[in-house]
Amino acid sequence: MTAGESSGSVVRRILLGSQLRRLRESRGITREAAGYSIRASESKISRMELGRVSFKARDVEDLLTLYGVADEAERGSLLGLAKEANVAGWWHSYGDVLPGWFQTYVGLEGAASLIRIYEVQFVHGLLQTESYAHAVVTRGMPGASRAEIDRRVALRLERQKALVSERAPRFHAVLDEAALRRPYGDRAVMQGQLRHLIEVSEQPNITLQIMPFTFGGHAGESGAFTMLRFPESDLSDVVYLEQLTSALYLDKREEVAMYERVMERLHQDSPDPAESRDLLRGLLQLM
């Protein structure tokens, strides 16, 4: 199975969930009523509509009947989507170290055509060197075994392959200067990480900007966030907000629009990529 196929299954799951939600809302049916029709809870309907669980063909058939979808072609299309959505992704082999709430993100990340991030605590995972990633994971999980740390680092490196694949997404990152000055690992690790950032920022699909301390307060005051856009025109952008034990996936138009404005301001207020590389070189000389 290719990475594209497994990532696509997540997109199909979310796409099917959003279509089921639109059908339910257009008929004025509550989640509670929908859950009753498939012998499930209201919360399961919510998880299905958010694309966070797999779909049983029988459940989808019953919901389509409840929603008055009688056209065989439309039913067949949605049932086919349900079947494709249940294909397991490559990341499931890392299930021993990958929280369930993060599995959805890994799939969405792999399927995105545009990834935009703002990071303040440390260098974003897709831009980390192996040594830096090891230091970050070790610091964040002081009680973890060496084997578990190595598995988590391996997962992070596997995710990075998408940036150099034939279907590589556009990746636009804004890193706060704090993320570059906060040491993870020793001096050699930090020097290697800064050199890596300078190097990858030259890739045609990667845009890297640094928000310097000298700018003062800026639009990213609410903290780190990620925005994902997909090639499927009927799938809305998703804002990903990571928490300590869970994550939020926002796709409502008004919420996404607010983060879009913040991201645009960060892009406008940060030095351009060439100036940002100069900032990185200056930080490297200070290490």
Side-chain angles (χ1 to χ4, degrees):
M1 181 184 302
T2 68
E5 289 171 334
S6 58
S7 298
S9 67
V10 176
V11 171
R12 294 184 186 98
R13 195 166 67 232
I14 293 177
L15 183 57
L16 176 58
S18 66
Q19 291 180 351
L20 290 174
R21 181 179 64 186
R22 286 196 292 268
L23 285 170
R24 179 183 59 76
E25 291 176 343
S26 69
R27 304 308 193 268
I29 298 172
T30 65
R31 288 194 182 96
E32 183 179 9
Y36 181 80
S37 74
I38 63 169
R39 303 153 298 279
S41 65
E42 178 183 353
S43 63
K44 180 176 180 179
I45 294 296
S46 178
R47 292 195 299 273
M48 289 175 67
E49 292 180 349
L50 291 170
R52 296 183 185 175
V53 293
S54 58
F55 292 89
K56 294 180 181 178
R58 178 183 173 184
D59 289 344
V60 176
E61 288 178 343
D62 289 347
L63 288 174
L64 293 178
T65 298
L66 178 66
Y67 301 157
V69 179
D71 182 78
E72 288 302 320
E74 185 177 2
R75 290 177 68 92
S77 175
L78 292 171
L79 286 169
L81 199 59
K83 182 178 180 180
E84 295 171 353
N86 288 331
V87 176
W90 62 263
W91 54 90
H92 285 266
S93 63
Y94 289 90
D96 55 325
V97 295
L98 187 62
W101 52 266
F102 193 59
Q103 291 185 22
T104 298
Y105 173 76
V106 175
L108 290 176
E109 181 184 77
S113 57
L114 171 63
I115 303 172
R116 290 175 290 174
I117 68 100
Y118 168 66
E119 187 59 74
V120 64
Q121 175 71 13
F122 37 62
V123 174
H124 189 270
L126 291 181
L127 298 175
Q128 293 178 5
T129 64
E130 183 174 358
S131 296
Y132 182 91
H134 196 278
V136 169
V137 175
T138 301
R139 181 80 58 83
M141 303 187 67
S145 67
R146 178 58 184 261
E148 181 177 358
I149 291 172
D150 289 346
R151 287 278 288 164
R152 290 178 180 274
V153 172
L155 170 63
R156 195 159 299 183
L157 297 179
E158 189 69 29
R159 286 168 52 206
Q160 293 178 6
K161 292 180 180 179
L163 292 182
V164 293
S165 68
E166 292 182 3
R167 300 173 57 210
R170 289 182 293 136
F171 183 70
H172 195 154
V174 178
L175 301 180
D176 196 283
E177 186 176 341
L180 305 173
R181 288 187 175 272
R182 182 174 293 105
Y184 281 94
D186 58 22
R187 181 182 179 187
V189 170
M190 291 302 297
Q191 288 177 329
Q193 180 61 66
L194 290 173
R195 292 192 187 98
H196 179 68
L197 289 174
I198 294 170
E199 180 180 344
V200 298
S201 70
E202 299 281 4
Q203 291 179 207
N205 62 311
I206 294 179
T207 301
L208 176 60
Q209 293 178 269
I210 308 301
M211 171 56 76
F213 286 152
T214 54
F215 186 84
H218 56 75
E221 60 187 7
S222 62
F225 65 97
T226 298
M227 299 189 72
L228 303 170
R229 181 168 296 169
F230 309 94
E232 292 80 5
S233 60
D234 49 356
L235 193 61
S236 65
D237 288 6
V238 173
V239 176
Y240 172 75
L241 303 173
E242 187 169 317
Q243 301 173 336
L244 184 61
T245 59
S246 62
L248 293 176
Y249 296 85
L250 308 179
D251 64 354
K252 291 183 178 179
R253 183 170 300 178
E254 61 273 17
E255 292 177 324
V256 172
M258 291 182 68
Y259 280 91
E260 180 78 38
R261 288 193 290 271
V262 171
M263 187 66 80
E264 288 301 324
R265 287 177 59 192
L266 286 168
H267 291 170
Q268 293 169 9
D269 293 340
S270 299
D272 65 29
E275 293 176 294
S276 292
R277 275 191 289 273
D278 288 340
L279 283 172
L280 288 169
R281 294 186 183 101
L283 288 172
L284 182 58
Q285 291 178 352
L286 295 175
M287 290 290 177

